[in-house]
Amino acid sequence: MTRRFLITGALPYSNGRLHVGHIAGAYLPADIYVRYLRSRGDDVLFVCGSDDNGVAITLSAQKEGLTPPEIVAKYNASQQRAFEGLGIDFDVFGGTHTPDYVERHTELSQEFFKSIYDKGYFTKRTTSQLYDVQADRFLPDRYVTGTCYLCGAEGAYGDQCEACGHSMDPLKLKDPKSVFSGTTPEVRETTHWYLRLDEFQEPLAQWLEEREGWRPTVLNFAKGQIKLGLPERAMTRDLDWGIPVPLDDPDAAGKVLYVWFDAPIGYVSFSSTLLERQGGSPSDYEEWWKSPDCKIVHFIGEDNIVFHAIIWPAMLMAEGTYQLPHQVVANSFLNIKFPGKDEEKISKSRGTAVWIEDYLTEFDPDPLRYYLTAIAPENARTAYDPDEFLVRNDSELLATLGNFVNRNITFAHKYFDGKVPEVGARSEVDEKLLRLCGEQAEKVAEQLEGFHFKAGLTEVMALARAGNLYLDEKKPWSQRKEDLAACGTTINVCLQVVRALMVLMQPFLPFSARKCLEMLQLDESALQWDQATTELPAGTALADPTMLFKKLQEQEKK
RNA sequence: GCGCCCGUAGCUCAAUGGUUAGAGCAGGGGACUCAUAAUCCCUUGGUUGCAGGUUCGAGUCCUGCCGGGCGUACCA
């Protein structure tokens, strides 16, 4: 029976380019999973897009001398280039304030909000907040500085004093200044709508308790937050950039939805836009989002756990007609280790990032996909090391996998007229290796079904290693001189392994799998998972060998 | 300060409380030559951060300590 999956990648904020951390965290594992599912014949919708709303967009825009729509367009395009270059192949890459998507997004977000509103899960509340008269805007806590009223340190932020670590009430800060204009803000009253998360504390706790197969990091964090208690959270903001609050109430005038309220709805609205574009009805998204036979899997980074494992499910519970996520897969952050320096966090401002667009000017996508999967921060933080990237490309990816494919294709060309040689009587050694293809296919599948991408990749490499070992045992370069038929059998068996490897590597290394496909002169359907053990007939003509991977380290001559 | 997470070989990572803690890479030695000097075999390497405790049995559970990280801008 065909399974159905709706897979999402966390919406990247459209005020910056993508770096290796983004990819390792959410998008690469999501893409691997999707490619795997598709090769199994499952029905998959793979959805992503940029997160275009919120105060940070307006600030970034200001900083770059652009309008919000301009900065959104700029980075949405940049991100799409990066994804495309890496072969991260979404069915749709929308944007919550991007032309072609914003209309549907607005509509669905407002509907969603109103639905929760009608059910009484919002509290309308008026509070005092600091207001920057000159900049004509309310100040988020983080955008106020002043003197800490607890320790007296200067430069405390409205949400926290970095000197003593205490959280701050921005209204109590001494000598407050707006980060925007530097002027002294005044206190004004403002009204917002707060989501009553407390109403969902019990249902959420219960729901999380029943989750199976979730990573402990996700569950522990979410359960811990719930145990601390879920305060009401304002779901509206005083801002002129975003989705207007859809209420007739005069207090709602000029206000927008909190960016984290509308962002996850982007998954839904992009789905809707996509399905309509494919000739369906805009409401077709309900077959994915509201049908229990479809499994929804969110891939995110660790900073998103609170939203995807608590707030978004709470929103869904409040709205009432959607199903809850089947899985929330979160990776930890990826640190970076530059030569001669200590491991450190990826930081845009300190320039300690490896940008995807930069990477792609120099290297092919698959080596990065390989390396980022091999070091994926699935359980704990790991570090990206540019030198190690080169080493692992040369000594693992190229030497073990690429070389195995290459030596067999080349051998067939040299001694068997560029064709798959006839297979004679197979020995137990031959049979064992052929069996291993199926066994490894099962192991890889099992790991991927459980979201263990790193372990899955290890099993792919294990097959390549077994192939190399087999070659060394059979020594076809010697067999050739003594018994050409036996030699043919050996190469035939190896080419079966090449075919299996092609199928198994496809989710991880799609570009290289395609090269294999071309060398074996097979069509697309050969990449289906169950084709891993389909025998490549003797006599099949092979295309000229092409290198799957390039050597990247400087060769020290000698 | 408080809360949470983490600490396993030089590096990246594994080990439902159950034999002697395992792989890959890197290092050392050897074999081979089809292949991108790739491959294959052998090998070095660990007081599982430290100290206690529970248990027939602890890398795994508990307590304390040390170290790092997160909770806090840019950020997955």
Side-chain angles (χ1 to χ4, degrees):
Chain A
M1 173 184 159
T2 308
R3 302 181 297 179
R4 298 171 75 220
F5 291 89
L6 191 134
I7 312 296
T8 74
L11 303 190
Y13 212 54
S14 53
N15 69 343
R17 298 185 294 162
L18 294 170
H19 55 63
V20 288
H22 294 107
I23 302 303
Y27 308 107
L28 180 55
D31 186 67
I32 292 168
Y33 191 62
V34 166
R35 285 175 182 277
Y36 162 73
L37 294 177
R38 291 217 158 106
S39 82
R40 297 300 304 233
D42 295 323
D43 206 3
V44 182
L45 213 54
F46 189 19
V47 178
C48 194
S50 59
D51 181 3
D52 303 332
N53 295 316
V55 68
I57 293 290
T58 65
L59 296 174
S60 299
Q62 201 178 324
K63 204 181 288 175
E64 296 198 23
L66 300 171
T67 64
E70 284 168 346
I71 198 161
V72 162
K74 173 181 171 181
Y75 288 113
N76 177 288
S78 159
Q79 290 165 358
Q80 288 205 55
R81 283 195 300 274
F83 285 131
E84 199 186 326
L86 288 179
I88 292 171
D89 195 11
F90 303 113
D91 291 313
V92 58
F93 188 86
T96 57
H97 221 118
T98 294
D100 298 346
Y101 296 95
V102 62
E103 199 178 322
R104 176 68 41 77
H105 181 68
T106 301
E107 182 191 323
L108 284 177
S109 299
Q110 292 184 333
E111 255 176 39
F112 205 107
F113 185 91
K114 270 199 295 207
S115 175
I116 294 178
Y117 177 86
D118 289 342
K119 289 181 176 150
Y121 290 123
F122 284 124
T123 304
K124 180 181 174 183
R125 177 172 296 140
T126 300
T127 59
S128 296
Q129 282 192 13
L130 294 175
Y131 188 86
D132 182 329
V133 179
Q134 191 174 316
D136 192 26
R137 70 198 311 171
F138 280 96
L139 294 173
D141 295 350
R142 191 70 200 183
Y143 296 99
V144 186
T145 62
T147 303
C148 174
Y149 51 87
L150 293 172
C151 74
E154 289 179 19
Y157 291 99
D159 55 351
Q160 188 176 36
C161 171
E162 309 261 306
C164 66
H166 286 95
S167 57
M168 293 280 108
D169 177 348
L171 294 172
K172 289 192 196 162
L173 270 185
K174 290 181 195 160
D175 196 23
K177 291 278 189 290
S178 163
V179 169
F180 299 127
S181 64
T183 57
T184 302
E186 62 179 52
V187 177
R188 287 196 187 177
E189 292 203 326
T190 182
T191 301
H192 286 291
W193 283 264
Y194 293 72
L195 180 61
R196 301 208 46 197
L197 287 170
D198 56 304
E199 290 275 331
F200 300 97
Q201 184 148 339
E202 274 313 308
L204 281 172
Q206 169 101 33
W207 176 67
L208 288 170
E209 209 51 57
E210 294 163 357
R211 293 311 94 200
E212 283 172 13
W214 284 35
R215 293 189 180 164
T217 43
V218 175
L219 280 181
N220 288 345
F221 184 83
K223 287 179 185 170
Q225 289 296 310
I226 288 174
K227 215 190 291 178
L228 291 173
L230 297 178
E232 295 187 336
R233 270 181 98 128
M235 291 295 150
T236 55
R237 288 291 187 275
D238 289 292
L239 195 67
D240 55 10
W241 175 248
I243 308 297
V245 176
L247 298 176
D248 286 336
D249 196 320
D251 286 332
K255 295 176 202 261
V256 298
L257 302 182
Y258 173 41
V259 59
W260 262 109
F261 186 87
D262 81 80
I265 299 171
Y267 298 140
V268 183
S269 69
F270 304 157
S271 307
S272 168
T273 301
L274 169 70
L275 293 165
E276 187 183 17
R277 195 183 286 158
Q278 290 175 341
S281 141
S283 61
D284 281 355
Y285 74 88
E286 296 186 0
E287 290 171 19
W288 296 81
W289 284 92
K290 302 185 180 183
S291 162
D293 70 348
C294 173
K295 290 178 175 166
I296 297 173
V297 180
H298 297 301
F299 285 85
I300 59 171
E302 69 175 24
D303 60 336
N304 260 333
I305 293 174
V306 68
F307 293 104
H308 285 80
I310 294 180
I311 298 177
W312 173 233
M315 285 168 61
L316 293 167
M317 284 176 177
E319 202 279 344
T321 66
Y322 285 75
Q323 58 171 326
L324 297 179
H326 172 250
Q327 255 284 5
V328 175
V329 185
N331 273 351
S332 292
F333 281 145
L334 188 70
N335 287 342
I336 203 146
K337 167 79 182 69
F338 285 118
K341 296 174 76 176
D342 288 337
E343 179 177 331
E344 57 192 323
K345 285 167 70 172
I346 290 178
S347 162
K348 294 178 183 178
S349 54
R350 288 200 306 275
T352 55
V354 173
W355 303 103
I356 301 306
E357 287 182 282
D358 293 347
Y359 168 89
L360 287 170
T361 62
E362 209 177 335
F363 304 110
D364 292 328
D366 277 353
L368 184 64
R369 292 177 65 111
Y370 175 83
Y371 181 57
L372 290 182
T373 302
I375 65 162
E378 288 176 2
N379 301 315
R381 295 200 164 193
T382 57
Y384 181 98
D385 180 335
D387 286 342
E388 200 207 353
F389 163 74
L390 301 176
V391 170
R392 294 182 80 132
N393 178 79
D394 291 359
S395 63
E396 292 179 26
L397 189 56
L398 184 152
T400 303
L401 180 59
N403 189 234
F404 177 74
V405 173
N406 185 245
R407 62 199 300 205
N408 286 300
I409 303 280
T410 305
F411 203 103
H413 272 281
K414 247 175 153 167
Y415 302 110
F416 293 99
D417 197 25
K419 291 181 180 146
V420 178
E422 295 293 330
V423 62
R426 288 185 188 132
S427 69
E428 175 54 24
V429 178
D430 303 325
E431 295 290 353
K432 193 177 165 197
L433 182 62
L434 291 172
R435 274 201 305 276
L436 188 68
C437 292
E439 287 163 16
Q440 290 311 105
E442 271 176 39
K443 282 186 188 169
V444 174
E446 194 182 324
Q447 296 295 358
L448 293 183
E449 295 280 350
F451 306 98
H452 306 299
F453 301 98
K454 191 173 356 196
L457 182 58
T458 302
E459 299 296 352
V460 177
M461 296 304 284
L463 180 58
R465 246 173 254 117
N468 280 318
L469 176 59
Y470 169 85
L471 269 180
D472 241 63
E473 279 177 28
K474 303 282 283 200
K475 303 195 196 321
W477 47 91
S478 303
Q479 285 181 309
R480 177 176 66 84
K481 297 167 192 163
E482 297 144 14
D483 183 350
L484 192 61
C487 175
T489 300
T490 299
I491 298 303
N492 181 293
V493 167
C494 282
L495 289 171
Q496 308 305 332
V497 176
V498 168
R499 182 194 183 133
L501 280 170
M502 170 186 79
V503 173
L504 302 199
M505 78 168 80
Q506 187 274 140
F508 303 94
L509 310 166
F511 297 92
S512 307
R514 202 147 286 274
K515 284 187 188 172
C516 293
L517 196 68
E518 285 164 14
M519 281 189 270
L520 300 180
Q521 308 211 77
L522 297 169
D523 65 71
E524 197 86 1
S525 66
L527 292 173
Q528 289 298 303
W529 201 259
D530 59 9
Q531 299 282 301
T533 50
T534 300
E535 192 163 328
L536 198 59
T540 304
L542 303 170
D544 288 338
T546 53
M547 303 295 191
L548 294 187
F549 311 106
K550 286 185 224 140
K551 183 149 288 189
L552 297 178
Q553 281 176 300
E554 287 299 316
Q555 286 307 299
E556 285 149 58
K557 306 274 187 242
K558 108 180 185 169

